[in-house]
Amino acid sequence: MKKTLLAALAISAPAVLSAQSAVDAYQLSQTEQRGTARFMAMGGAFTALGGDLSTLNQNPAGIGVYRRSEIGATLDITPRKITSTTNSTKESMSKTKVYCNNFGYVGTARLDGLLRTFSWGASYNRVTSFDRAYSAYTARTNASLSNYIASFTSAPENDLNFGENYNPYLDSNEDWLSILAYNSFMINPKAGGGYQGLRNSGTIGDALSEVRESGYVDEYAIDFGGNIGNVVMWGIGFGITDLSFNQTTYYSESMEKATIPTETEGPNGEVIGKLQEGNAGVQLRNYRNINGNGFNLKLGVIVKPINEFRIGFAVHTPTWHHLSSSSYAGVDYSYYNPGAAESKLNPIAGTEETDDAYYNFHLNSPWKIMVGAAAVIGNQAIVSLDYERQAYNNTKVSYQDQRGDYVSDDYVNDDTKAYFKAANIFRLGVEYRLTPAFSLRAGYNYTSTSTKEDALNGNMEIFTAGTNPAYSLNRSINALSLGVGYHYQAFYADAAYVYRNKKSSYYAFTPYQDISSPKADLTEVTNSIVLSVGFKF
């Protein structure tokens, strides 16, 4: 903890600890193309096709295509490699995960009359995997996190410093990142008011970031649907989600000729503090866990005007999540004045940690609307095309007030509209039946960026939550897939290979006042092997 005051008081301007941010809501709302091997091999273009267990999570009207009952399961083996490119280096980190991607059951009853069949089903599907790890090194960075924190910190020292029976994390409304930086000497009071960061015009330094994430969004779907006159298939689905997200981030700076605090003993043994030029090393550590559940509703229809052509439409309501978050952070620091003798006051080194932060919040993910068309060619080939729109700019967050009520977080929701826009997704799938038992498949999937250009390119200030100033924003996603299918009587087995390339941008902290922060371009590549088996009866 910070024990000494190095200069005059700063101007008071209380800040509020932000529990969540627009970029947090954005990350937790992401979805991926996941499902059975047939679904993934054909690029997920099943809005107008149906007849697959994955459609319970996509277009519930697909359950109306069933003529027989089905049970099946899917295994997904996914190596993931993320390469970060900065102005000086390229870094890569890899990890492999094995998932049970999907399993489900559909029951079908044949009926007489206009309603030809009625079907019901239940399935599990991994909607999103948060498993990833990456690092980025920036040499000769021209910015410091400490200077960014100093730029928005205006609280008096007494509000940031620990005192008898006073804990600024719990007893004040000041920004926790300001408190943490002050008590780890990253920011120091300067004459005339305000705070001084570590970097000055002559500072030479580099920066290193590392991010490790894990977790998932799983959805359990219950669907009902039917077939009206072999022309209209309809469906309604209820989804229950289980969300778990864990994140550990490290950000460190090493600087020479920095503005550092030094302490010496006065003639009476008192500690005298001042700012001098020296070497600085700081590392900010953040740990966060988010857990919760949610529910959503899906409606869909497939129209088959002729046997060779189908049109599909589906709409997904937001997933209404109830989430709980816990987090804490720490700074490891060392400040050394090479021009002074080493002593108990040179270097100044230690660790400062925050208290644990707990809070509950509601997250409403974006609406989804999808349309599709599929053609059957000569009873041997299928060509299917989908379009989907996800309105990320309409993501909503609510926080829990002191009375326990949930209130719209207008600041976060306004940031969401400022940073994000709707994503457009295009899916194409092809299947060709080589023999009555064997089929070949291929697919393509493209997702446009859901981030506005100014936010993506660092031309605007991005506000984050708590003590973690880092964030990443998606650019585009391309996926290519191939697959093969085999069925014999009631049994089927499918396999797919999916190559996925995702581009995004990482910022260690937001650019501010025309100053750019350490940035990396991320390329995330996955090569998934997907295997499905099942029975139709």
Side-chain angles (χ1 to χ4, degrees):
M1 297 179 187
K2 196 154 191 173
K3 299 297 186 183
T4 61
L5 307 182
L6 296 180
L9 293 178
I11 300 172
S12 175
V16 177
L17 173 66
S18 179
Q20 59 278 319
S21 70
V23 291
D24 294 330
Y26 170 72
Q27 182 171 21
L28 296 175
S29 299
Q30 300 294 304
T31 58
E32 297 176 332
Q33 175 193 320
R34 291 183 175 275
T36 66
R38 184 179 181 227
F39 176 87
M40 296 183 70
M42 296 179 67
F46 270 74
T47 301
L49 280 180
D52 186 273
L53 292 174
S54 295
T55 62
L56 275 69
N57 300 85
Q58 188 188 59
N59 183 358
I63 201 173
V65 177
Y66 276 89
R67 300 293 182 270
R68 294 186 292 169
S69 300
E70 178 181 347
I71 188 170
T74 298
L75 181 69
D76 185 320
I77 305 170
T78 299
R80 187 185 307 260
K81 180 179 180 180
I82 300 181
T83 300
S84 65
T85 304
T86 66
N87 58 4
S88 52
T89 62
K90 182 179 289 188
E91 304 274 342
S92 294
M93 298 183 71
S94 302
K95 63 189 304 185
T96 299
K97 298 292 289 187
V98 179
Y99 311 96
C100 179
N101 212 34
N102 171 279
F103 63 83
Y105 163 78
V106 170
T108 299
R110 297 191 177 213
L111 306 173
D112 296 325
L114 186 62
L115 185 62
R116 302 297 178 85
T117 63
F118 178 77
S119 299
W120 60 95
S123 72
Y124 156 83
N125 201 67
R126 175 141 294 183
V127 177
T128 306
S129 170
F130 294 120
D131 292 307
R132 62 177 188 164
Y134 56 91
S135 62
Y137 173 73
T138 303
R140 298 282 181 172
T141 178
N142 63 355
S144 170
L145 174 60
S146 63
N147 291 59
Y148 169 60
I149 299 172
S151 73
F152 65 74
T153 302
S154 56
E157 282 192 84
N158 288 339
D159 289 351
L160 302 178
N161 202 2
F162 285 80
E164 186 176 356
N165 299 320
Y166 176 76
N167 181 335
Y169 294 113
L170 304 180
D171 301 328
S172 76
N173 289 323
E174 305 303 335
D175 189 281
W176 279 31
L177 192 54
S178 295
I179 299 170
L180 182 61
Y182 174 83
N183 285 283
S184 57
F185 300 94
M186 288 177 64
I187 62 172
N188 297 281
K190 60 183 180 180
Y195 291 87
Q196 169 72 49
L198 298 173
R199 183 178 179 83
N200 59 58
S201 59
T203 300
I204 301 171
D206 57 12
L208 177 65
S209 302
E210 184 174 327
V211 178
R212 295 185 177 273
E213 296 172 344
S214 63
Y216 53 82
V217 178
D218 289 342
E219 183 174 80
Y220 303 87
I222 301 173
D223 287 36
F224 302 92
N227 177 338
I228 302 175
N230 285 329
V231 176
V232 177
M233 277 65 74
W234 61 273
I236 180 171
F238 303 90
I240 300 172
T241 61
D242 180 22
L243 184 151
S244 177
F245 175 71
N246 302 285
Q247 183 187 66
T248 302
T249 65
Y250 302 92
Y251 174 71
S252 59
E253 294 178 349
S254 180
M255 290 169 276
E256 297 179 0
K257 300 181 180 179
T259 302
I260 65 168
T262 59
E263 294 180 324
T264 59
E265 289 191 25
N268 299 318
E270 73 276 17
V271 175
I272 301 174
K274 58 183 178 179
L275 298 177
Q276 290 186 345
E277 186 175 274
N279 301 334
V282 294
Q283 182 186 67
L284 172 65
R285 299 171 280 109
N286 272 281
Y287 308 90
R288 190 174 189 187
N289 172 263
I290 300 175
N291 287 284
N293 49 56
F295 68 95
N296 57 52
L297 176 67
K298 304 179 183 70
L299 302 171
V301 64
I302 297 174
V303 179
K304 185 173 67 173
I306 58 176
N307 285 331
E308 293 78 17
F309 185 69
R310 297 176 184 177
I311 301 172
F313 174 81
V315 59
H316 297 190
T317 69
T319 299
W320 294 284
H321 293 284
H322 177 83
L323 302 173
S324 298
S325 174
S326 62
S327 62
Y328 71 96
V331 170
D332 303 315
Y333 59 88
S334 177
Y335 308 103
Y336 176 65
N337 181 3
E342 289 193 15
S343 68
K344 63 180 181 180
L345 300 174
N346 186 36
I348 299 172
T351 296
E352 170 66 20
E353 293 188 342
T354 69
D355 284 69
D356 294 335
Y358 302 95
Y359 57 87
N360 299 322
F361 66 101
H362 284 171
L363 167 65
N364 298 346
S365 65
W367 283 81
K368 298 180 184 179
I369 297 175
M370 58 194 73
V371 295
V376 179
I377 304 171
N379 291 323
Q380 277 192 302
I382 296 174
V383 178
S384 182
L385 179 65
D386 280 10
Y387 167 74
E388 180 178 334
R389 185 174 179 86
Q390 298 183 10
Y392 284 99
N393 51 318
N394 289 328
T395 304
K396 302 294 184 184
V397 171
S398 301
Y399 66 90
Q400 191 174 28
D401 64 16
Q402 293 180 346
R403 296 176 300 179
D405 298 327
Y406 284 89
V407 181
S408 174
D409 195 326
D410 293 336
Y411 291 105
V412 172
N413 296 334
D414 288 345
D415 285 345
T416 297
K417 293 182 181 298
Y419 306 158
F420 303 111
K421 60 183 180 180
N424 300 301
I425 302 172
F426 299 91
R427 297 187 285 260
L428 173 66
V430 178
E431 181 178 71
Y432 183 78
R433 184 175 296 174
L434 288 174
T435 70
F438 285 96
S439 298
L440 296 179
R441 298 161 186 146
Y444 173 70
N445 187 302
Y446 169 77
T447 303
S448 70
T449 181
S450 49
T451 309
K452 292 184 177 179
E453 185 175 355
D454 283 345
L456 194 60
N457 296 329
N459 296 326
M460 63 187 302
E461 189 170 1
I462 304 295
F463 297 99
T464 58
T467 55
N468 187 2
Y471 59 93
S472 62
L473 301 170
N474 291 347
R475 291 187 176 270
S476 62
I477 304 173
N478 286 273
L480 293 170
S481 51
L482 297 171
V484 61
Y486 169 79
H487 72 87
Y488 175 74
Q489 297 181 356
F491 172 78
Y492 68 84
D494 298 317
Y497 164 75
V498 183
Y499 168 85
R500 184 172 179 263
N501 185 299
K502 176 180 176 182
K503 302 288 188 180
S504 57
S505 295
Y506 166 83
Y507 290 87
F509 52 91
T510 184
Y512 69 101
Q513 300 174 357
D514 297 325
I515 299 174
S516 60
S517 73
K519 172 183 176 291
D521 294 321
L522 303 180
T523 300
E524 179 179 332
V525 174
T526 59
N527 294 276
S528 300
I529 303 296
V530 187
L531 305 171
S532 296
V533 294
F535 294 89
K536 294 184 178 182
F537 51 94

